[in-house]
Each structure stands twice: as structure tokens, then as C-alpha cells.
Amino acid sequence: MSPKHVVFKKVSRDKSVTVYMAKRDFVDHCDFVDPVVYVMLSCTFRYGRQDMDVMGVAFRRDLFLVTRQVYPELQDKEKLTHTKIQQKLLRKLGNNAFPFFFEFPDNLPCSITLQPGLSDVGKKCAVEFEVKAFCGENQDEKIDKQSSVRLTIRKIQFSPEDSKLLPSAETTFEFLMSEKPLHVKLSLPKETFYHGEPLKANVEITNSSSRNIKDISLSVEQVTHVILYSNDKYVKSVAKEETSDSVPCGTSLKQEYTLHPLLAYNKDRRGLALDGRLKHEDTNLASSSIVKQEVLKEVQGILVSYKVVLRMVASGEVSLEVPFRLMHPKPEPDDMVFEEFKRAYLKGVVYGDDDESPTDA
């Protein structure tokens, strides 16, 4: 039996409008992006809290914003081409259901958020996508919260077909007062690793020098570029293996090491890049960014890459690094199930607007 597909449902406070989303993750295939049914779609880059805005410079920028009329219909829905999920929803919901269709521009970034610290409050640095449906006389009037519904979605990328490239780097170090050099090679068995998958790295050291090699360590480092506003760069270790291995002069070492780059081991690390988080769902370390050559990096907001770094001590630190991709595998197709976001009232606490409580419908 194939797995079930969740359909997300959310209703406005006055029940005048309801949004059904076949999914909340939309895949950037680089050549095209999965279509989305929407009323208003926005992509926002947020560098800081709104109360941090100074001298009229906002720490928020709308990278993309578009609105379309759904009802009254501008086109006969019977003449439109519908996806399989839309067809099922139309049969289930009847004549009051109105499908609509949208394509993401291929120059938009993926959903990424920087993990806040324990003492941080308010909105975090992130690239966020949102679908909003609302009732009103025209699309430019102030939106009444009672007659609107918002649903956070994500734009993500799945791993492309893995190339046959085996990432590796090697170099030779020469030391003063040493006739022969130190040769070091670092290699990985493949270019792309999946989230949750152990990462195996192969180290080869031929020490022909007069120096003794010690304190060998390997780490996975996440490199985050915040392009807009600041062009900041953050490098943070997300997995590390410190060993007692040594390579005395005139000897060699050939060893495989295993690293585990997981968010579970970095829950409280401020500033780590994560895949955009949906409420009531866990997330993971941000996936590697894949950007088409013709797309300007300046409009990407946040870019993420990974590398394995080998370090050792030989009368000073010696290091070598190899880049790789950390991504999600492409999932299998599935069946449809409804997941409704209901508002609940409990001891004066209201779960509404952005607060979503998922239940099986």
C-alpha cells in the first residue's frame, strides 16, 4: 500500500474563506519549480526584528509578492487544466471550491532560517514563503484578519542525481630543516550525502618529513553567506571527530573516519542555518544551496555550503578541506490525506493566526 498524501486545510476566523494546500514544501528543480495553488504568495527576507529598523532602513525585504483574484472566477474552471490533487479536491469540496495555479520564478531562494539563541526573541533572520487568502473589495485594501487565513510554505531543493565525481584534495607540505615533505590526501566516497546519513571520510598521510604528526581531527563545517544587507559569512562546525592518532616521521597512515552532521547535536548553536521550519514540525540543518549560473546571488538572501576539514599538528597546524553537498533525497509519490489546522481555546490561550494545530481530518 502506498503512503498517504496530506492535504493541509486552514479556515479564517469568520469561516468566510478556506485554503486547501496539496503540500507545504515546493521543490526547486533548478530548471523549474513545482506549481502552487494560492491567493497571495510572498517571499520575504528578514535580517532582523522590525523594532530594529533604524533611519528608515527596514530589516525586511519582500523578494516576491503577487496576488490574483479567485472569486468571482476570471476563467471557467472546467476549461482549466487541473493537477490530480486539484481534481480530487474539486470532487470532494463541490461547487464552492475554486482552484488556481502559480509558478515560482526560478530566481527565488529556498526557505532558510538562522537558528536563534536561547535569549533571542522576536522574528529571526530567515527567507520565508507564505500563502494568504482573504476576502475584500479589492486586493489593495487593508486585510481584515477575521476574513483572512495565512499558511507558511517552504521552497526546498532535492538532491540531483549524484554525479560520479569523488571529491578529494591532496597536497604536499614542506618544512624548514626537513629534506623530505609531508603528503596528505582527503577524499569522500561521493559528492552528495543525505540528511541523517553518516559521512565517511578517507585520510591518507605519508610522513617523509622529520616532523611528527599528531592531534589529527576532522570536522564538517557549515558555511552560511547572508547576501542581502550585510554580506556576512558564518562558518560553524556541525560535526567533529578528534582522535589520538599520530604519524611519526618516516611512517604513514590510511584511515576512514565517520562524522554525523545532525541538528540533534547542535540544538542550542546560535546562528546555524536550518531548512525553513514549519510549526509543529521538526527541521534539519539547511540543505546545500544550488543556484543556476544565470541567477544573481545577490537576490538569494542566504546561501549555504558544506565542507569536510582535516586538521593536524606538525610544529604548527596543517589543514586540508573538501566540499560536498548535504541534501534530501527525492521522495516517492504518495496518496492524499487531509490535515486540518484548527483554532483551539484552552485556559485563555488562543491558538490562531500563525499558530497551527495539525490533526487528521
Side-chain angles (χ1 to χ4, degrees), residues 10-249:
K10 197 172 183 184
V11 186
S12 64
R13 292 176 184 271
D14 63 2
K15 303 187 184 302
S16 62
V17 61
T18 303
V19 170
Y20 291 85
M21 298 289 295
K23 54 187 174 181
R24 297 179 76 183
D25 290 335
F26 295 85
V27 184
D28 183 353
H29 300 275
C30 288
D31 294 329
F32 67 96
V33 180
D34 288 353
V36 54
V37 176
Y38 83 110
V39 174
M40 174 189 287
L41 175 66
S42 63
C43 172
T44 303
F45 172 76
R46 191 188 308 277
Y47 185 62
R49 304 192 308 272
Q50 289 183 350
D51 59 6
M52 293 173 58
D53 296 356
V54 292
M55 299 180 65
V57 178
F59 283 82
R60 166 196 169 105
R61 179 184 294 182
D62 288 326
L63 301 179
F64 182 75
L65 182 66
V66 65
T67 305
R68 287 185 183 173
Q69 178 178 314
V70 177
Y71 180 84
E73 296 173 275
L74 300 179
Q75 289 180 285
D76 186 354
K77 63 184 176 184
E78 300 299 329
K79 297 181 180 180
L80 298 175
T81 300
H82 302 139
T83 66
K84 291 182 179 179
I85 296 296
Q86 287 177 318
Q87 292 171 359
K88 291 182 180 180
L89 286 172
L90 287 171
R91 288 195 296 267
K92 179 179 179 66
L93 301 175
N95 294 330
N96 287 331
F98 302 94
F100 38 116
F101 180 87
F102 180 77
E103 280 188 76
F104 281 91
D106 61 4
N107 63 341
L108 292 181
C110 288
S111 300
I112 297 177
T113 181
L114 298 190
Q115 182 165 258
L118 296 177
S119 60
D120 292 340
V121 295
K123 295 288 188 178
K124 50 193 173 293
C125 181
V127 174
E128 300 173 322
F129 288 82
E130 182 182 78
V131 171
K132 181 185 294 184
F134 59 92
C135 295
E137 293 185 3
N138 60 72
Q139 68 182 40
D140 297 322
E141 72 174 21
K142 184 177 180 180
I143 298 175
D144 183 359
K145 288 187 177 182
Q146 298 292 326
S147 301
S148 65
V149 57
R150 297 159 49 184
L151 192 63
T152 300
I153 63 173
R154 294 186 299 193
K155 179 172 176 280
I156 61 176
Q157 288 178 323
F158 290 132
S159 169
E161 293 186 7
D162 201 10
S163 66
K164 304 205 181 281
L165 174 67
L166 301 181
S168 66
E170 57 184 308
T171 190
T172 298
F173 298 93
E174 295 185 351
F175 303 101
L176 187 65
M177 306 296 291
S178 179
E179 294 183 358
K180 295 183 178 180
L182 167 70
H183 185 79
V184 181
K185 181 178 180 180
L186 172 64
S187 62
L188 304 178
K190 56 183 179 178
E191 183 182 18
T192 302
F193 291 84
Y194 298 142
H195 290 288
E197 179 184 5
L199 185 150
K200 298 184 182 298
N202 298 295
V203 175
E204 298 180 35
I205 301 174
T206 302
N207 186 11
S208 302
S209 72
S210 59
R211 302 290 195 273
N212 292 324
I213 306 302
K214 59 181 181 178
D215 297 337
I216 297 174
S217 68
L218 288 97
S219 62
V220 173
E221 294 186 353
Q222 180 191 77
V223 182
T224 304
H225 289 266
V226 181
I227 306 297
L228 288 177
Y229 292 111
S230 62
N231 201 24
D232 291 340
K233 179 179 178 180
Y234 305 97
V235 180
K236 295 185 178 293
S237 173
V238 295
K240 192 168 186 178
E241 177 73 17
E242 295 181 325
T243 77
S244 58
D245 295 341
S246 62
V247 188
C249 58

Side-chain angles (χ1 to χ4, degrees), residues 111 113 115-116 124 152 154 263 267 274-283:
S111 300
T113 181
Q115 182 165 258
K124 50 193 173 293
T152 300
R154 294 186 299 193
L263 178 58
K267 283 288 189 180
L274 313 178
D275 275 347
R277 187 190 301 269
L278 299 178
K279 292 195 173 183
H280 308 293
E281 291 187 16
D282 204 358
T283 187

